[in-house]
Amino acid sequence: MTDYRARSLWLDGIPGELTPRASLPGPLDVDVAIVGAGFTGLWTAFYLAKTDPHLRLAVLEREIAGFGASGRNGGWCHTTFPGSREAAAGRHGRQKVVDQQRALHATVREIARVVDEEDIDARFFMGGQLDLALTPVQLLRLRETVEWERSWGFGEEDYCQLGAAEMRERIRVAGCLGAGYTPHAAAVDPARLARGLADAVGRLGVPIYERTPVTLLEPHRAVTPFGEVGAEVVVRATEAFTPQLPGFARTVVPIYSLMIGTEPLPDAFWDEVGWREREVFGDFRFLIFYAMHTADGRIAIGGRGAPYHFGSRLSETYERDPRVRDHLRALLGELFPAIGDAQVTHHWGGAVAAPRDWYSSVGLDRSTGMAWAGAYIGDGVATTNLAGRTLRDLILGQSTELTGLPWVNHRSKPWEPEPLRWLGVNAALKAMASADDAELRSGRPSRRASYVKKLIGA
Ligand SMILES: Cc1cc2nc3c(=O)[nH]c(=O)nc-3n(C[C@H](O)[C@H](O)[C@H](O)COP(=O)(O)OP(=O)(O)OC[C@H]3O[C@@H](n4cnc5c(N)ncnc54)[C@H](O)[C@@H]3O)c2cc1C
């Protein structure tokens, strides 16, 4: 039996057993079959069942609810636009982009509402997000970011610049020169959110069939070893696992992101560093890190740095890497010298899904009944909720503000076949790392930065 607890700090902290729910008992006919019980699949089931209790729904999950990225992530419930705002504005106009950004801001509040209403113990706390400037180059980038937000019409109340002293009042991070702050973000225990949401979906009468792999996803049917599920609409909510489905090998690439979690830190540490509002924070490097103060007094921090694996292969062995673990632990020591020799109790990881044009999407093809949402890269915790509500409206045939947003029915072109894909993705990851190194060494913006920005459509 798979040791689900070992897959993340968050899954390890779930009270009670992680016993899988029953598998699909046999062939089934439903109105909507949802493949994947991560946030995307679960939010979709939740909103559909709430809006139309008569719909016949089924969720098919290969492992258990929250097994994927939803149960392993950095716990940032934040509102990064799911692609390049400029590229989206080129296709749909600037107002649509602003509408989508505003919809994302509202999404954090919507998740807070549901967590409260459904009494989900997700340790959800809206402390906002800080983008730290740790070097003079990052300070430049911070100023540019503030100007850029203003150019889109977002004011101080959406994104503001904090000086070094203001930052110290929030969190005392060594060498921090200032930060960007947005209140539109929360810290969350993602596995508790996913598992609590699965229970809420169950209470609405929707079956979640666990340990039920879908081996083929086609118009109006999902094939499993236990029988076929026929449906008017099938929803693909499989994110980084998508390339394993026949016919979807080049839809997204899985890119591993790895994390560590410390032991609970003593009061003396928190007295020294502050961080009472549990803001999530990172900085302006390309190969990002993301940190959060957990509800039980630990620090969880993650970063990229693991390579892309040939053929979009996924494996449990890729989820830990001593090099990345040591790098993240050393980074914690640089940010917070007071952390001393605090132990790392958890090291884990998972894959995010990257689309070829770095632009997430949600959609439904009425002619085939195939719906999808995903390719969120590292920004799915809040965005999946927006996706779930959008899929509800699309499936119910309602034209709403959400169905008019620019990412709806966007089609990213497929990734290149191997070995080009392997060469290209790893070259991009290396370029990001070397742009960061060059900036640290020289103290000046790297010329590679514009190449990297172009690669990721920033
Ligand atoms: C280490 C890490 C840190 C991250 N940090 C953040 C963060 O701080 N903030 C943020 O916004 N985003 C973050 N992300 C991204 C975020 O977690 C994801 O975007 C989000 O959870 C995606 O949810 P999902 O439901 O689409 O996919 P998943 O949660 O991956 O769910 C997909 C589900 O589908 C199931 N499945 C797959 N294939 C099949 C099949 N063939 N048959 C049946 N079931 C199948 C899987 O078992 C899985 O349960 C992070 C991701 C990782 C890996």
Side-chain angles (χ1 to χ4, degrees), residues 25 30 54 60 63 74 98 136 173 176 206 228 232 242 245-246 249 320 322 378-379 387 399 406 417 430-431 437 449:
V30 290
H54 301 297
L60 308 169
E63 299 288 347
V98 172
V173 176
C176 182
V206 180
E228 198 173 303
E232 190 184 329
T242 302
L245 283 167
R320 292 178 191 88
D379 303 316
S399 173
K430 276 216 173 81
D437 288 346

Side-chain angles (χ1 to χ4, degrees), residues 81 92 95-104 107 359 362 386 389-390 400-410:
F81 190 80
H92 303 276
Q95 188 53 48
K96 286 278 179 201
V97 172
V98 172
D99 291 348
Q100 175 143 359
Q101 189 65 68
R102 291 271 178 230
L104 277 164
T107 294
Y359 197 81
V362 53
L386 184 62
R389 285 181 286 134
T390 306
T400 64
E401 272 175 31
L402 299 187
T403 60
L405 294 177
W407 70 327
V408 176
N409 288 326
H410 171 77

Side-chain angles (χ1 to χ4, degrees), residues 2-18 37 63-73 189-195 319 346 348-349:
T2 308
D3 181 5
Y4 293 118
R5 289 190 180 278
R7 302 311 267 269
S8 76
L9 167 70
W10 320 111
L11 285 166
D12 194 25
I14 294 288
E17 297 299 318
L18 287 176
E63 299 288 347
I64 59 168
F67 169 81
S70 299
R72 311 186 197 184
N73 61 64
D189 180 322
R192 283 172 184 260
L193 177 57
R195 305 287 303 171
E319 294 171 11
H346 293 76
W348 73 98

Side-chain angles (χ1 to χ4, degrees), residues 21 28 30 45 56-60 201-202 204-210:
R21 295 170 170 82
L28 189 69
V30 290
R56 294 171 307 148
L57 306 171
V59 181
L60 308 169
V201 166
L204 290 168
V206 180
I208 301 174
Y209 298 111
E210 295 186 334

Side-chain angles (χ1 to χ4, degrees), residues 53-185:
H54 301 297
L55 274 180
R56 294 171 307 148
L57 306 171
V59 181
L60 308 169
E61 164 58 48
R62 184 165 53 192
E63 299 288 347
I64 59 168
F67 169 81
S70 299
R72 311 186 197 184
N73 61 64
W76 284 42
C77 183
H78 69 138
T79 58
T80 297
F81 190 80
S84 156
R85 281 189 194 162
E86 284 71 16
R91 288 192 292 267
H92 303 276
R94 288 176 73 87
Q95 188 53 48
K96 286 278 179 201
V97 172
V98 172
D99 291 348
Q100 175 143 359
Q101 189 65 68
R102 291 271 178 230
L104 277 164
H105 292 167
T107 294
V108 180
R109 297 191 292 276
E110 167 64 8
I111 295 173
R113 186 192 69 75
V114 177
V115 161
D116 189 44
E117 197 171 283
E118 297 294 328
D119 201 16
I120 299 174
D121 179 21
R123 318 269 161 106
F124 189 91
F125 188 79
M126 272 185 74
Q129 173 187 332
L130 289 160
D131 303 328
L132 272 47
L134 294 175
T135 64
V137 178
Q138 293 192 1
L139 197 53
L140 279 178
R141 214 158 272 149
L142 164 58
R143 289 187 188 126
E144 284 167 11
T145 303
V146 174
E147 278 170 30
W148 180 72
E149 290 288 359
R150 296 294 172 273
S151 75
W152 284 95
F154 297 106
E156 284 278 309
E157 66 288 4
D158 295 310
Y159 196 85
C160 66
Q161 181 169 348
L162 305 180
E166 286 169 295
M167 180 57 205
R168 272 196 303 278
E169 279 170 27
R170 286 179 175 269
I171 316 178
R172 287 173 283 286
V173 176
C176 182
L177 304 173
Y181 173 75
T182 173
H184 303 299

